[in-house]
Amino acid sequence: MKAYEEFLDIIKGSETIRRIARTLGSICEYYQATQKYSNFGRLGGPFYDVEALLSSGLLEGQKSYELSSVFYEIKPSEKGLQIYKRLKEDGFYKELPSTSPPDQV
């Protein structure tokens, strides 16, 4: 096993990966309920989760700058919605959050 594959195998069950999946679920649920983009700022909760989900193609959106702060306006991609639905069917989301995205600013 190559080092990178071993690294991925080790972290795949971590709380950080589960948190990122929950962030995806919250954003998908909010989007499905409202058809609105979510807005996140650098100081707002899952900012780095959002960056990981954007770079993986599970979210789409844009980065903007306001008063030297970074903000994202994002929504789930089609791929992200499919993964969310599959995770939900598998029982990953036993209890979903309300239709408010986590720590939205």
Side-chain angles (χ1 to χ4, degrees):
M1 179 181 290
K2 295 187 179 196
Y4 186 68
E5 292 167 339
E6 183 177 354
F7 168 74
L8 290 175
D9 192 49
I10 291 168
I11 68 164
K12 72 180 177 186
S14 70
E15 180 54 35
T16 301
I17 299 301
R18 288 189 292 274
R19 187 191 68 234
I20 292 170
R22 286 191 300 270
T23 299
L24 174 66
S26 181
I27 291 167
C28 287
E29 183 183 80
Y30 178 78
Y31 183 75
Q32 287 181 327
T34 66
Q35 297 299 302
K36 293 181 182 178
Y37 281 72
S38 298
N39 298 299
F40 289 92
R42 183 169 289 283
L43 298 177
F47 185 81
Y48 294 107
D49 297 355
V50 168
E51 286 187 330
L53 292 164
L54 277 166
S55 67
S56 68
L58 296 175
L59 295 179
E60 54 189 43
Q62 60 188 15
K63 184 188 281 191
S64 62
Y65 299 89
E66 185 177 312
L67 300 173
S68 74
S69 293
V70 178
F71 292 90
Y72 285 111
E73 185 176 78
I74 48 103
K75 70 175 189 168
S77 66
E78 188 58 40
K79 181 180 178 182
L81 286 169
Q82 290 171 3
I83 293 294
Y84 160 72
K85 289 175 186 175
R86 290 178 54 208
L87 285 167
K88 190 173 179 179
E89 288 170 3
D90 287 349
F92 180 82
Y93 303 110
K94 290 182 177 75
E95 185 176 314
L96 284 173
S98 70
T99 56
S100 297
D103 299 315
Q104 185 174 2
V105 284

